[in-house]
């Protein structure tokens, strides 16, 4: 049952990205570029998502376990450190350059676009580089 609800959640998320315009890199770049013809419509989408998430996370924290999984997987880190700031900066730079983040990247890959393929290859390369650096620093 877990896999069915995961699939439904993924499909709903992907549909939301398509309907909201977040899977369209040009729309995202128009939102991020406030110096030209700024498109603020994604601010409403993000505000709506934050509002829903605010209450959903509060409800999830009150539960002992999810209905269709063994355990609750919620973020528990509260410390802001150099790694978090560096990762957030890299994410923001990449999002600002391409107009694509991981969720829309998967939608674009599923749609068979070259941008989606390039984004996913670059993301996997970044993950492998991160893993290599972590292993390297653990040895020293």
């Amino acid at each position: 049952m877990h896999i069915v609800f995961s699939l439904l959640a993924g499909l709903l998320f992907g549909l939301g990205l398509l309907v909201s315009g977040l899977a369209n890199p040009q729309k995202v770049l128009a939102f991020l570029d406030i110096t030209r013809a700024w498109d603020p419509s994604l601010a409403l989408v993000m505000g709506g998502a934050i509002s829903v998430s605010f209450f959903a996370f509060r409800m999830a924290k009150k539960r002992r376990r999810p209905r269709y999984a063994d355990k609750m997987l919620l973020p528990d880190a509260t410390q802001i450190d150099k790694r978090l700031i560096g990762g957030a900066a890299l994410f923001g730079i990449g999002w600002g350059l391409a107009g694509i983040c991981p969720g829309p990247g998967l939608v674009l890959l599923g749609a068979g676009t070259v941008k989606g393929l390039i984004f996913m290859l670059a993301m996997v390369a970044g993950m492998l580089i991160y893993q290599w650096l972590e292993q390297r620093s653990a040895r020293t």
Side-chain angles (χ1 to χ4, degrees):
M1 205 56 158
H2 171 71
I3 192 80
V4 172
F5 282 103
S6 295
L7 177 65
L8 290 174
L11 288 173
L12 183 63
F13 181 65
L15 182 64
L17 291 173
L18 286 171
V19 170
S20 68
L22 276 168
N24 179 353
Q26 299 309 318
K27 187 164 183 71
V28 172
L29 291 174
F31 169 71
L32 295 174
D33 187 0
I34 59 172
T35 61
R36 297 186 193 155
W38 185 50
D39 178 3
S41 62
L42 292 182
L44 294 173
V45 174
M46 290 180 186
I50 290 169
S51 300
V52 170
S53 297
F54 177 81
F55 293 107
F57 274 99
R58 289 203 171 349
M59 288 173 54
K61 283 184 177 180
K62 290 180 182 175
R63 299 183 62 96
R64 290 183 57 124
R65 60 180 288 269
R67 187 175 305 265
Y68 299 109
D70 295 330
K71 63 181 182 176
M72 194 72 74
L73 298 173
L74 294 172
D76 58 356
T78 57
Q79 187 176 11
I80 298 174
D81 57 11
K82 290 178 187 175
R83 293 174 53 167
L84 177 65
I85 293 170
L90 281 174
F91 177 86
I93 291 168
W95 196 37
L97 289 173
I100 305 170
C101 63
L106 284 171
V107 171
L108 293 172
L109 182 66
T113 65
V114 174
K115 283 184 178 180
L117 178 63
I118 292 171
F119 176 83
M120 294 310 289
L121 289 174
M123 187 174 80
V124 169
M127 293 165 69
L128 292 173
I129 290 169
Y130 169 79
Q131 188 177 30
W132 177 73
L133 289 172
E134 283 293 307
Q135 289 173 350
R136 188 174 155 202
S137 69
R139 278 186 252 143
T140 58

